[in-house]
Amino acid sequence: MMRNRGRPVAALVSSLALCWSFLAPPAAQAAPPPPPLAATPPMGFNNWNAFGCDVNETLIKETADAFVSTGLKDAGYRYVNIDDCWSLRERGPDGRLVPDPAKFPNGIKGVANYVHGKGLKLGIYGDAGTKTCAGYPGSLGHEELDARTWADWGVDYLKYDNCNNQSDGSQEDYIRRYTAMRQALDRTGRSIVYSICEWGTSRPWTWAKGIGHLWRTTGDISDNWASLRSIIRQNAPLAPYAGPGHWNDPDMMEIGNGGMTATEYRTHMSMWAMMAAPLIIGTDLRTASAETLAILGNRELIAIDQDRLGVQGAVVSDENGLMVLDKPLANGDRAIALYNSTDTLATVSVTTGETGLRDAGAYRLTDVWTGATTQVKSTISAAVPAHGTVVYRVRPLRDPTAVAPAVALGANLATLVPGPAGGDSTPTTAVPQPTDGGAPVAAVPDPTGGGTPTTTGPDPTAGGTLTTAVTNRGVGTLRDVAVTADVPEGWTATPVTPARRSRLATDATLETRWRIDVPASTPAGRYPIDLTASYRWGPRHRPATTSSQVIATVVTAPEDGRRHLSTISPVTSVNATGPLEPDQSNGGALENDGNLITIGGQVHTRGLGTTTGSELLYYLGGRCSRLVTDVGIDDEAPGGPATFTVYADDAVAAASGPVTSGEAPKPLTADLTGTAWLRLVAESETTGTHADWASPVLTCGDVPDDSPVLPESRTLFSFESGTEDFTIANPGDGGTVAQSPLFHTEGTNGLKVSTPVAGNWFGRPLATPLDLTGATMLKFDLKAGDAGTVGEIAVQVGEAFSWCQGGLWTWTNAHSSRTITERFDQISCPTGITLDRSDIRAVWVFLNTGGEVFIDNIRAE
């Protein structure tokens, strides 16, 4: 005991501390940092795609109600976002933005309170320019005040656009303008998701991390397949730039708006989820169909999009219009997407070794659309419908014997021509098609290019041939394999090679060739053929089936008349770079990226934009007599020399010889009497030269040479006599017009328009009503000056001159040209007003950006 008294004091203190550590509560641990704002891609709604400027308090509140009643809130959708046109056109006396009291009688704050009361969040729209795209006050120079205003109102999300931006076009300017709003939002102290919407112009994925939470990577989406396909192609390669709190944004969704098929809308949702894109709904949820809600509410896909790892799916392969994406998930699974952008059924495959899956003897696949579960040994494969996407959630599988094997049922079908009159059993004529990885190019332009053409002309002796392929991708042998083809009524499908096999080992294929006979009276169109493979699998020989559908394209000869060839879809199309572009040049790899066809300074509003290394094939059926066209190298990209050849069946009907850059268009006339197949070929020593078929007109049947070319076009304003009294709709906003020979698509003159930065409407009221009964669309040709411009069309109707507008704000880059088109069925009038095409009282076009813009040939078709 006495020795203990002699212990050093420090030792006693240490002992006491050790004892106390067992008795005292543990020290408080530092709290983990909060997740970043927008840790997963934002999910919500924006009114623009479905409503444009027609936004109001009732719509936003009822959409919030719909989020709750439809279960979309429970699925993860949170933001109810207001787009352009919500404010008055002038700021208030204090400089603040003023909500339009007619649209928002309770103000934005009142709407925010309502939305927050539903457990949701509210978004607003602003612009990094002097005015918004629709001409309302922008925030350039007002960043601090506007950010405080939005924060005071309770806004949770800002979409910040890029119109009227006063930019010098440099990336530094974009960074400066968007950083100014970032800093202003930070100073409010409110958490506001910041969506940068500069259309990918300055490559924001390279600089916007830390400034915005998401950034647009593309131009505006439209509700059609060409737009969706183009945007996927642009956004998919940007996976390295996305992650928690910073997302690539390929624009809002069009699902449910009616311009695409259910298959295409499922691709829309699938690829947005795989690309970890924001899921911002753009349809009217108050009237959305059950199918639309099922697509938007797919919990499995939402889980892939919202996975906490925050990884955008990487492109594993991308060839001939078939793409595979691979996305790791937080629980160790991987999402694998098989995407088919072509126009026909195609088998899309990837080996597990090409993905991030770890080595295993087998893998379990769960189809996120059907819920079906299958197993594969080493290849993930599916027959994917045209424009479709199959998404699997994949993980290693220890015991595959209890899980059904994955069986792919693919097919290849030639384009079909009905049999001869009389409906006998003579085999249907078919055209052999250029192949992209085994899949035929369909009877519309191929969007992916495809390299040097392989077609050598139609084979008149070929029967209508369908080839089916049943492939076992699972572990274990299939037994009693059989395949059937269910064709439309009146058609016949006869197997030419065996359609059965007793055993089919892993990765083995049963390939069957069928002869398809089509009655002579069958109209042109697309017809489904349902395919079914039956088999037995596993130790117990369990029965199972796999099905798919191939679409047969039936072509018939054109009807009598003279028509622009650009209005007829080719049976096959191969182009060295990008797609065939009707009525514009081939600008590059994407759809709709060209200008008006221009050869030797002559501008054409009709034609076929191709590149050398291209071949177009049309079925004429012996009913057409002549093709007249100009050919040449487009002024936008000098190259060549190139040669243009017209083939009537296998005989040369017209040839240009070498054509060089800058040369005037060379006219060709081809005699097509008795021709079954028309081929247009453009060639050069180096493929990819921009080669145009300008103003090609095809004559079929017994029609006079002076008969009108279809579709008929009616010029409303051509500016040959001057400005034709064009004026401005809003005098206070500025702008002038003058006749000019510098750009014209009809005659020798057009109209030069000096536009204010925020834009104005140019046109005029008419002395007498204009009757456009029978017309389906309005068009005008445009060439931008040193700055790009928006183009839009509106009309006034009836004695009250009611304003009717489409809301289709089409952008044209600086020094570029295009035809602006507005269909009458896209134009909306005020409530209670009918767009009477027989009583058009005024025609207007909208132009902006504060520079010179040239227009011509305002017309109805």
Side-chain angles (χ1 to χ4, degrees), residues 28 83 94 107 118 122 168 245 286 307 332 372 402 406 467 503 612 708 794 860:
D83 210 280
D94 58 357
K118 297 286 182 177
L122 185 78
D168 60 11
R286 302 168 303 175
D307 187 80
T467 302
R503 297 168 66 88
T612 53

Side-chain angles (χ1 to χ4, degrees), residues 453-478:
T454 58
T455 299
T456 58
D459 176 4
T461 64
T465 301
L466 165 70
T467 302
T468 58
V470 182
T471 304
N472 174 20
R473 294 300 186 186
V475 176
T477 298
L478 301 181

Side-chain angles (χ1 to χ4, degrees), residues 591-638:
E591 284 97 350
N592 198 33
D593 59 2
N595 296 295
L596 291 174
I597 289 173
T598 308
I599 306 172
Q602 296 184 31
V603 181
H604 301 257
T605 60
R606 291 287 189 178
L608 304 169
T610 68
T611 60
T612 53
S614 63
E615 179 176 300
L616 312 177
L617 183 66
Y618 298 84
Y619 178 64
L620 305 184
R623 297 197 65 257
C624 301
S625 59
R626 187 170 66 164
L627 174 71
V628 177
T629 183
D630 288 342
V631 297
I633 297 173
D634 200 277
D635 292 355
E636 70 184 358

Side-chain angles (χ1 to χ4, degrees), residues 225 261-264 266-268 270-271 321-323 338-342 344 348 384-390:
W225 171 245
T261 66
T263 295
E264 291 162 349
R266 284 191 289 271
T267 282
H268 197 341
S270 296
M271 295 300 282
L322 310 180
M323 184 183 292
L338 309 177
Y339 164 54
N340 173 17
S341 72
T342 75
T344 189
V348 187
V384 185
H387 306 177
T389 303
V390 173

Side-chain angles (χ1 to χ4, degrees), residues 228-303:
L228 178 62
R229 176 173 53 196
S230 175
I231 285 178
I232 291 171
R233 179 160 293 280
Q234 294 174 73
N235 192 75
L238 302 179
Y241 301 97
H246 53 97
W247 307 105
N248 294 315
D249 177 13
D251 204 3
M252 303 168 291
M253 297 190 293
E254 293 278 11
I255 296 166
N257 285 335
M260 288 185 269
T261 66
T263 295
E264 291 162 349
Y265 282 142
R266 284 191 289 271
T267 282
H268 197 341
M269 186 73 181
S270 296
M271 295 300 282
W272 261 232
M274 289 296 300
M275 295 188 298
L279 301 180
I280 306 298
I281 296 168
T283 195
D284 187 349
L285 290 173
R286 302 168 303 175
T287 59
S289 67
E291 182 176 60
T292 292
L293 293 174
I295 293 172
L296 294 170
N298 185 308
R299 299 293 182 98
E300 294 298 321
L301 271 176
I302 290 171

Side-chain angles (χ1 to χ4, degrees), residues 619-626 648-650 671-678 699 701:
Y619 178 64
L620 305 184
R623 297 197 65 257
C624 301
S625 59
R626 187 170 66 164
D649 294 325
D650 286 326
D671 183 353
L672 303 177
T673 304
T675 298
W677 298 96
L678 166 67
T699 301

Side-chain angles (χ1 to χ4, degrees), residues 635-826:
D635 292 355
E636 70 184 358
T643 59
F644 297 79
T645 307
V646 179
Y647 290 91
D649 294 325
D650 286 326
V652 175
S656 67
V659 179
T660 59
S661 294
E663 187 177 344
K666 182 169 289 190
L668 295 180
T669 299
D671 183 353
L672 303 177
T673 304
T675 298
W677 298 96
L678 166 67
R679 273 195 300 139
L680 306 182
V681 177
E683 300 172 294
S684 65
E685 292 183 0
T686 303
T687 60
T689 298
H690 293 207
D692 297 333
W693 301 83
S695 304
V697 174
L698 179 69
T699 301
C700 299
D702 185 15
V703 296
D705 290 341
D706 60 352
S707 60
V709 180
L710 303 174
E712 292 190 60
S713 181
R714 177 181 174 184
T715 297
L716 306 180
F717 307 101
S718 64
F719 311 110
E720 292 303 296
S721 61
T723 64
E724 301 196 23
D725 296 327
F726 259 47
T727 184
I728 50 181
N730 303 303
D733 290 344
T736 62
V737 298
Q739 187 187 49
S740 172
L742 296 180
F743 174 76
H744 50 86
T745 57
E746 181 176 88
T748 58
N749 287 289
L751 192 70
K752 181 177 72 174
V753 182
S754 296
T755 65
V757 169
N760 207 335
W761 291 93
F762 299 86
R764 69 176 175 91
L766 303 168
T768 57
L770 186 63
D771 186 350
L772 296 182
T773 302
T776 61
M777 65 187 72
L778 293 170
K779 294 183 175 183
F780 72 96
D781 305 319
L782 176 154
K783 183 175 182 179
D786 293 334
T789 184
V790 164
E792 161 71 317
I793 302 174
V795 296
Q796 288 176 277
V797 298
E799 292 183 358
F801 279 73
S802 300
W803 188 275
C804 300
Q805 182 180 334
L808 183 63
W809 305 86
T810 304
W811 176 259
T812 302
N813 290 327
H815 304 294
S816 298
S817 58
R818 69 169 62 235
T819 297
I820 307 298
T821 301
E822 190 88 64
R823 298 199 318 265
F824 276 109
D825 60 12
Q826 295 173 318

